[in-house]
Amino acid sequence: MAKIPFIVSARAGKLLGRENFSNPEGAIIELVKNSYDADAKNCIVIFDIKYDIIKDEEKKTEKKIINKSKSHIFIIDNGEGMTDTVIKDYWMKIGTGNKEFDYLTDGKRIKTGAKGIGRFALDRLGSTTEMWTLSKKEKNNNGFYWKMDWKQFDNSDKAISEINASLENHTINQKELIKKTFPENSNIESLLQGINLDKGTILKISNLKDDWFDKDIESAFKSLEALIPPKELKIPFEVYLHHIQHPKEFGQVETAFFNDYDYKVIARYNAKTLNIDFEITRNELDLDLVKKKYSFLYINKKSPYDLKTLEAKTFKYSKKVDSILKWKLNDNNTKLLNEVGSFNLSFYYLKYIVSRKEDYPFKSINSEERRSVLNKFGGVKIYRDSFRVRPYGDFGNDWLRLGARVAQSPAGAGQRIGDWRVRPEQTAGIITISRKTNPLLIDKSDRGSLQENNAFETFKKIVTGLIHEFEIDRTKSLNPFYLNQKEEAEKELEQKIHTRAVELAEIIAKERKKSDEKYYGKKYVEIDLFAKKKEEEEKKAYEKAFKKTIQDIEDENLKKEYEEIAQVRSLASLGLIFSSFAHELKEIRDNAGEINLLEKNYKKIVSDNFKRIALNELKKLKENKQYKSEIDNPFQDGVDIIELLKEDSKKIKYWVNYSLTAIKKDKRKRKSLDFSKFFISLNKNWKRILDDKNITLKIEDNLKDSNYNFRGFEMDLNTIFANLINNAIDSFNELDIIKDRIISISIKKQNDSMVIIFSDNGVGLSKVFEEKEDIYLPFTTSKKDNKGNEIGTGLGMYLVKNVVDDNNGKIEILEPEFGFSVKINLPLRKNKKI
């Protein structure tokens, strides 16, 4: 049997290349990348656009059109140039793969191209290309001249092997060639003076295919600004864009560089060790003002939140990636984290609005200038081998979903540690990846973005985790100022109440004195010592009464707000509990489906009358215990249905009662609470679910004969213990040994506080929490699936901490030998806030 080869038409080869350059800007960028791959230190893009003027005599107007046949684009570089062998074996070979294995240049740059179709960018821009190239290996200016007519590819009758370009030896002096092309052009001559052109390549593109109007050239300039290596990478590669007809319009392409910022975070991820090295620079606070007015806030503070570190601005530390992501490492997710590959992140936070509500000692900022910088260079961008991967970080491209995170947690930066989320429009960042170290972060076929595979999804999780480190640091840094403001505001309110009460008391006392003078006479009242003493006592009594009245009014105003907060927290906790036990409700639903199916089968077999008799017989059999098994008892299906219905009825009743009890009106009111009664109720409410799971709840009540006064919301106590018990149940589910499952709660009065210790003997606090207090951070959970997606809400302990804080209490994570334990201290003195 004869074997025949495929023949690729010239047109097919051209289409293959054109698919990768849908617009002329992309083609310009591709050619600049080729200069970078050639180890060039300089690349010059020159637009020589000729215009024709068309006059309309009737309308007396003129229209400027581009003469494409007389216009040219030049790409000039001082890279390594090409020999004739390179031109023949690589440049003229479509789809060459030499960059895949030979990916490192002599200058140790990692080459950006790999598909071997970049030269079709020339075809995308114009029908004719001329190239002068002088290799660093050649001497005496012995270079080569190459010319290509791209129209040859339009002939579908030709095979690709029939397409030819011309190549000849040529003595090349690049500077002289450029000066000859642009005679007496002072701007170009000035530019060439500082550039060494003893080697490199000149590309001249003619018979242009696009109308390059001024706005199009400006767009290409901006694309180069966004795409070429940023200054931070310190790569010796400068790009210039020159427009012959508008010499003052452009020039050197400036790249992203930030010297005015509030925060800078450098993070280096090592995919082998799974370690992350951080370098954080804080540049947000006015240090002189901090030292002058707020130095007392830093007494006994530990690094990196002490005054010394704050003054140093920059500090370093390291963390494991599993601690950042709260992943419990196993073979599967370790493999995912390894496969992402090592990368670096430089992240900047630049706020451009300082809210008047925030009375923090911030440095003054130039909002207009920051907005301008962010509009031009904002967004977290990805650079692979020093060149931009689009569209990541483009305007409106929130690929890390930072905006969604803000909507999920819109709190102010200093209010609660870990609550605040950075807005995408106030960020800038550079992530550097490489073909060498990140082989699974690969382009889609259209070069539009990266393939959304497991490696990319894990990569996004790591980057988001690194940004969250900054968010936590900022909230920890600002939280002392917020608490101080809160304390000062309370003192100010107290002083206002006191001042107003004194004023009212004096008014009443004066009126009383006038009344006494009128009744007893002025002289008599003035010499009556007892009257004066009485006046002072009355004044104090009035002051006390008015102060209490005003305080009660203020308390009543705050009371409604705190009632709503308590209710929201309770409902959130209820939602978490139902989420945890959703499988039980699913079982009830599934059982209902099975019962319906059995009922249909019954209808096919027996009449309505027989069913009535059969059910009566079934009842008798059950009462007399005369049936043995499904085989012996023809009514066993009916027996199972009844038992199932009874059990499901109990479950439904339990969950309905639990829900209604949790949101009863009396629990939404702030009142004096009896802890002993509360824990009796808690035990009753949780008994069924804990019994089903073989968990024992032990409550040690040491409040007998104790007198105390604690005012609060019963809903808040429910929030604390519902979430602690729910977490304990999850912990028991992770046990890999058989043991008694015990939850212990002890309560006692100690001095002026109620001290509660909650413990369970489950698996204990996950090791991913290097800092124990991280469990209080919102949306922070160690419950993940095998791909690292969160299956826990991360809100349970956050809600617990909220309740304790709002009741002026303290919560401490203990270190038991087994399991998990916390100590909660709730003050018994009256809470002045509510």
Side-chain angles (χ1 to χ4, degrees):
M1 184 180 292
K3 294 183 178 180
I4 57 173
F6 277 100
I7 299 174
V8 179
S9 74
R11 185 170 176 274
K14 185 174 183 178
L15 291 173
L16 177 66
R18 280 182 175 176
E19 283 183 1
N20 286 276
F21 308 105
S22 58
N23 62 67
E25 287 178 26
I28 294 287
I29 289 162
E30 185 67 24
L31 295 171
V32 172
K33 283 184 177 182
N34 282 348
S35 296
Y36 177 85
D37 288 351
D39 266 343
K41 292 184 178 179
N42 305 94
C43 177
I44 306 169
V45 181
I46 299 176
F47 284 89
D48 184 10
I49 308 299
K50 302 293 194 329
Y51 303 97
D52 290 332
I53 304 297
I54 299 176
K55 294 183 178 181
D56 189 326
E57 297 296 342
E58 262 184 50
K59 296 181 180 180
K60 295 182 179 180
T61 58
E62 291 183 349
K63 184 179 181 181
K64 186 168 69 172
I65 64 169
I66 292 174
N67 188 325
K68 297 179 184 177
S69 63
K70 293 182 180 180
S71 299
H72 308 283
I73 299 174
F74 293 82
I75 312 289
I76 303 165
D77 71 53
N78 55 2
E80 60 187 10
M82 287 186 280
T83 64
D84 58 343
T85 302
V86 171
I87 294 171
K88 291 173 185 177
D89 293 348
Y90 299 115
W91 181 254
M92 291 294 294
K93 185 177 180 180
I94 297 171
T96 179
N98 67 304
K99 288 187 180 181
E100 287 191 358
F101 56 87
D102 184 20
Y103 57 81
L104 206 62
T105 70
D106 290 347
K108 305 304 178 185
R109 291 181 185 173
I110 296 176
K111 297 174 184 177
T112 63
K115 294 185 177 180
I117 51 178
R119 70 276 286 130
F120 279 102
L122 297 165
D123 167 49
R124 175 62 186 82
L125 294 171
S127 299
T128 306
T129 302
E130 295 172 87
M131 177 174 72
W132 295 264
T133 184
L134 181 63
S135 172
K136 65 179 182 179
K137 296 179 181 179
E138 300 290 346
K139 296 180 179 179
N140 302 320
N141 292 343
N142 293 325
F144 296 92
Y145 171 75
W146 176 88
K147 186 175 183 180
M148 179 66 193
D149 177 9
W150 296 100
K151 289 180 181 177
Q152 296 177 76
F153 282 92
D154 293 332
N155 190 342
S156 58
D157 293 332
K158 278 190 175 183
I160 202 165
S161 57
E162 298 177 73
I163 304 299
N164 295 293
S166 60
L167 178 66
E168 61 184 56
N169 294 332
H170 200 288
T171 301
I172 297 173
N173 184 314
Q174 291 203 104
K175 283 193 176 181
E176 291 303 318
L177 181 59
I178 296 167
K179 288 178 181 178
K180 185 178 178 181
T181 305
F182 305 104
E184 299 181 1
N185 190 308
S186 59
N187 287 314
I188 289 181
E189 285 187 13
S190 176
L191 177 62
L192 294 178
Q193 284 179 3
I195 297 175
N196 183 359
L197 287 171
D198 60 355
K199 58 182 175 59
T201 301
I202 298 174
L203 290 168
K204 179 183 179 182
I205 304 161
S206 307
N207 299 310
L208 303 185
K209 296 180 178 179
D210 299 279
D211 289 321
W212 285 94
F213 291 106
D214 295 348
K215 63 179 178 58
D216 301 305
I217 298 174
E218 182 182 1
S219 180
F221 185 78
K222 287 181 177 178
S223 291
L224 287 170
E225 281 183 324
L227 287 159
I228 65 174
K231 288 182 180 179
E232 186 163 321
L233 300 183
K234 297 178 181 178
I235 294 173
F237 182 64
E238 295 180 343
V239 179
Y240 304 85
L241 191 149
H242 191 76
H243 191 341
I244 297 297
Q245 285 69 31
H246 298 284
K248 295 182 180 179
E249 289 294 317
F250 306 104
Q252 184 172 354
V253 178
E254 295 292 338
T255 58
F257 180 74
F258 305 96
N259 55 10
D260 173 33
Y261 52 82
D262 294 309
Y263 258 87
K264 178 181 178 181
V265 179
I266 295 176
R268 300 177 180 89
Y269 172 60
N270 188 318
K272 291 182 179 178
T273 63
L274 302 185
N275 195 60
I276 301 169
D277 293 323
F278 287 95
E279 182 180 298
I280 294 181
T281 301
R282 302 177 183 134
N283 193 41
E284 185 171 24
L285 299 176
D286 183 333
L287 295 180
D288 290 336
L289 183 58
V290 168
K291 288 187 286 185
K292 182 179 178 181
K293 189 177 178 181
Y294 297 102
S295 58
F296 67 93
L297 294 177
Y298 294 90
I299 296 173
N300 299 325
K301 290 285 186 181
K302 295 181 180 179
S303 178
Y305 302 103
D306 59 323
L307 195 57
K308 184 179 179 181
T309 306
L310 194 71
E311 289 181 287
K313 290 190 176 181
T314 299
F315 64 97
K316 300 178 181 180
Y317 66 98
S318 296
K319 267 191 176 183
K320 290 290 185 180
V321 69
D322 52 311
S323 173
I324 299 288
L325 299 180
K326 303 299 180 281
W327 279 20
K328 296 177 182 177
L329 290 184
N330 54 38
D331 291 343
N332 182 68
N333 54 36
T334 299
K335 184 172 180 285
L336 285 173
L337 293 167
N338 291 148
E339 288 178 343
V340 167
S342 300
F343 65 87
N344 296 335
L345 165 71
S346 295
F347 177 84
Y348 298 87
Y349 168 63
L350 296 85
K351 65 175 178 293
Y352 48 77
I353 297 176
V354 179
S355 172
R356 293 189 178 276
K357 293 179 181 178
E358 295 178 336
D359 191 23
Y360 300 130
F362 290 145
K363 294 167 76 173
S364 59
I365 61 172
N366 188 326
S367 297
E368 188 176 338
E369 185 177 308
R370 282 194 173 187
R371 281 182 186 272
S372 176
V373 170
L374 287 167
N375 287 338
K376 196 172 185 180
F377 299 117
V380 180
K381 297 175 172 62
I382 299 175
Y383 286 80
R384 182 175 49 213
D385 299 321
S386 305
F387 274 88
R388 243 323 268 291
V389 181
R390 302 189 80 167
Y392 309 106
D394 282 348
F395 181 78
N397 179 260
D398 185 15
W399 64 284
L400 292 169
R401 303 190 76 248
L402 298 181
R405 294 170 74 252
V406 172
Q408 189 181 39
S409 183
Q415 289 179 10
R416 292 188 190 276
I417 292 172
D419 270 19
W420 176 75
R421 298 289 182 268
V422 65
R423 295 183 177 279
E425 63 270 19
Q426 295 181 329
T427 66
I430 298 166
I431 302 173
T432 56
I433 62 174
S434 171
R435 287 171 54 202
K436 182 180 179 182
T437 56
N438 313 95
L440 295 183
L441 298 179
I442 52 181
D443 285 336
K444 289 182 178 178
S445 58
D446 61 358
R447 294 194 181 188
S449 56
L450 298 175
Q451 291 183 18
E452 294 180 4
N453 52 26
N454 287 339
F456 183 63
E457 290 303 315
T458 307
F459 171 70
K460 287 197 294 184
K461 287 183 176 70
I462 297 172
V463 174
T464 305
L466 301 182
I467 292 173
H468 189 46
E469 276 292 294
F470 144 70
E471 292 169 336
I472 292 173
D473 185 84
R474 187 167 186 253
T475 58
K476 284 185 176 180
S477 296
L478 296 182
N479 184 248
F481 299 107
Y482 173 79
L483 295 177
N484 180 64
Q485 289 172 32
K486 194 175 177 182
E487 186 178 336
E488 291 297 320
E490 288 176 358
K491 287 180 181 177
E492 186 179 348
L493 178 61
E494 185 72 22
Q495 183 59 45
K496 284 181 180 179
I497 291 171
H498 175 73
T499 302
R500 184 61 178 149
V502 169
E503 289 173 352
L504 289 171
E506 285 180 348
I507 291 170
I508 297 297
K510 285 179 182 178
E511 291 300 318
R512 178 63 180 269
K513 186 176 180 181
K514 284 181 182 179
S515 177
D516 286 350
E517 287 175 352
K518 187 176 181 181
Y519 185 81
Y520 296 107
K522 185 175 181 180
K523 290 183 179 180
Y524 177 78
V525 171
E526 285 178 351
I527 62 172
D528 187 354
L529 297 177
F530 291 102
K532 288 185 177 181
K533 184 176 181 182
K534 183 180 179 184
E535 180 184 335
E536 289 298 320
E537 289 176 351
E538 285 185 346
K539 186 178 176 181
K540 288 182 180 179
Y542 294 145
E543 181 184 326
K544 185 176 180 181
F546 285 128
K547 190 172 182 179
K548 184 178 186 307
T549 302
I550 297 170
Q551 182 72 61
D552 288 344
I553 292 170
E554 294 291 335
D555 285 352
E556 192 61 33
N557 291 334
L558 289 173
K559 182 180 176 184
K560 292 179 181 178
E561 179 185 344
Y562 278 89
E563 281 180 1
E564 290 177 6
I565 292 171
Q567 189 168 349
V568 168
R569 279 195 294 238
S570 181
L571 290 172
S573 298
L574 192 60
L576 297 181
I577 292 165
F578 268 86
S579 175
S580 295
F581 298 108
H583 63 279
E584 293 214 359
L585 302 176
K586 182 176 179 294
E587 282 178 8
I588 296 172
R589 184 197 66 187
D590 293 343
N591 290 342
E594 291 181 16
I595 291 166
N596 288 335
L597 183 62
L598 284 169
E599 184 183 6
K600 288 179 182 178
N601 292 334
Y602 262 69
K603 285 180 178 178
K604 292 177 183 178
I605 300 170
V606 297
S607 66
D608 290 341
N609 188 46
F610 179 76
K611 277 198 289 182
R612 179 175 59 80
I613 297 169
L615 288 172
N616 285 334
E617 290 297 316
L618 177 64
K619 186 177 180 182
K620 292 177 183 177
L621 282 170
K622 186 179 177 184
E623 288 172 354
N624 295 324
K625 301 182 181 179
Q626 290 178 355
Y627 58 93
K628 294 180 181 178
S629 68
E630 226 173 55
I631 298 172
D632 296 331
N633 186 355
F635 303 112
Q636 185 62 45
D637 280 348
V639 173
D640 291 341
I641 291 170
I642 290 172
E643 292 301 319
L644 200 59
L645 286 171
K646 282 183 177 180
E647 184 60 25
D648 286 351
S649 176
K650 290 178 183 177
K651 286 181 180 179
I652 292 171
K653 184 178 179 181
Y654 169 77
W655 286 113
V656 170
N657 286 341
Y658 184 89
S659 304
L660 294 176
T661 301
I663 58 173
K664 282 175 67 176
K665 189 174 181 180
D666 65 317
K667 295 181 185 290
R668 304 200 299 266
K669 299 294 181 182
R670 185 173 177 273
K671 58 186 180 181
S672 293
L673 295 178
D674 185 326
F675 281 91
S676 297
K677 287 183 179 179
F678 169 78
F679 283 112
I680 291 171
S681 175
L682 182 78
N683 193 12
K684 180 181 177 182
N685 290 337
W686 281 90
K687 181 171 175 54
R688 176 185 169 80
I689 193 67
L690 295 178
D691 285 349
D692 284 349
K693 296 182 176 295
N694 297 315
I695 298 170
T696 302
L697 175 60
K698 294 182 178 180
I699 297 176
E700 182 185 341
D701 186 351
N702 299 300
L703 297 177
K704 188 177 180 181
D705 300 327
S706 294
N707 293 317
Y708 58 88
N709 181 17
F710 181 86
R711 288 182 59 79
F713 296 95
E714 190 172 338
M715 268 190 168
D716 274 349
L717 289 183
N718 274 330
T719 295
I720 290 175
F721 293 100
N723 283 293
L724 290 174
I725 292 172
N726 197 30
N727 284 348
I729 292 171
D730 287 340
S731 177
F732 289 133
N733 290 337
E734 294 182 31
L735 282 174
D736 54 7
I737 59 172
I738 298 173
K739 62 187 295 189
D740 291 337
R741 302 175 172 202
I742 300 170
I743 295 174
S744 301
I745 302 173
S746 72
I747 181 167
K748 65 179 179 180
K749 180 188 172 187
Q750 185 174 312
N751 299 325
D752 293 324
S753 296
M754 192 66 70
V755 178
I756 305 167
I757 295 178
F758 177 96
S759 305
D760 69 62
N761 63 342
V763 295
L765 187 64
S766 173
K767 292 181 180 179
V768 300
F769 292 102
E770 287 184 2
E771 296 181 26
K772 296 181 295 183
E773 286 71 21
D774 282 356
I775 65 171
Y776 303 133
L777 299 177
F779 313 111
T780 301
T781 177
S782 60
K783 300 172 189 175
K784 317 274 184 177
D785 63 17
N786 58 4
K787 291 186 178 180
N789 298 311
E790 293 180 352
I791 53 177
T793 63
L795 286 173
M797 292 304 297
Y798 168 75
L799 292 172
V800 170
K801 183 74 161 59
N802 270 211
V803 172
V804 174
D805 286 348
D806 283 349
N807 284 277
N808 293 331
K810 293 181 180 179
I811 182 169
E812 178 186 357
I813 302 169
L814 305 179
E815 296 183 3
E817 186 177 355
F818 302 104
F820 175 78
S821 183
V822 291
K823 179 181 179 182
I824 298 171
N825 188 306
L826 297 173
L828 294 175
R829 62 185 180 277
K830 185 176 179 181
N831 186 339
K832 292 183 179 180
K833 293 192 303 178
I834 53 175

